[in-house]
Amino acid sequence: MSGGGLVAGPDGGLRCPWGLSTEDYVVYHDTEWGKPVHGDDALYERLCLEAFQSGLSWLTILRRREGFRTAFASFEIAKVAAFGPADAERLLADEGIIRNRAKIEATLANAKVLAGWQPGDLEELIWSHAPKKPGRAPRNTADVPAVTPESTALAKALKKAGIRFVGPTTAYALMQACGLVNDHLAGCVSREA
């Protein structure tokens, strides 16, 4: 996200400018981005999708999300942890997802790690890195950081726990998507919704 401030949508409501660039983004911006996400499987899904997004447009991932859900057993950690080499090869041939070997292998390896955790451990780890005080609402997209001390700490904690393919930028995108931070611009219809 770079550039300006709020833009009026077709309904007259002011939104973050990226949230009006396509119909897919309008729905995602208005109903999902920045809303709190809880539950280990739901957070594992977001963690995986953010890793797959690395180096790509989020729109590419958003438009393939149902394909990802089908390919990765709805991101149920226990089910993905049971995937074997044949599943990895199947995923590499699946045109409904991003067929990147390193990202697929990380997704499978991360499920195996998380399957050994107690229920709620992933949620606790991620949400423990939410800023203690909400920051000031950004006025324009240039005010929105790509990395914060909290996202750097979250990435380190995940890596230390054995989670692959997550750095500070991916961790911050996860924090934004899952509502740990609210980066809707000041005055955006979705900021307080």
Side-chain angles (χ1 to χ4, degrees), residues 40 114 116-127:
D40 292 342
L114 294 172
W117 293 18
Q118 292 299 311
D121 281 356
L122 179 61
E123 179 175 348
E124 182 179 331
L125 180 99
I126 290 173
W127 276 92

Side-chain angles (χ1 to χ4, degrees), residues 38-53:
H38 294 281
D40 292 342
D41 290 342
L43 288 164
Y44 168 66
E45 175 183 357
R46 299 326 189 281
L47 181 64
C48 294
L49 294 177
E50 292 297 345
F52 273 101
Q53 185 273 328

Side-chain angles (χ1 to χ4, degrees), residues 6 14-16 29-31 33-36 134-139 181-193:
L6 296 171
L14 297 175
R15 289 177 174 78
C16 304
H29 171 273
D30 287 2
T31 64
W33 192 74
K35 306 278 192 271
R136 189 177 68 96
R139 297 276 171 212
V181 295
N182 185 348
D183 278 342
H184 284 286
L185 302 185
C188 174
V189 295
S190 294
R191 182 155 183 87
E192 302 302 324

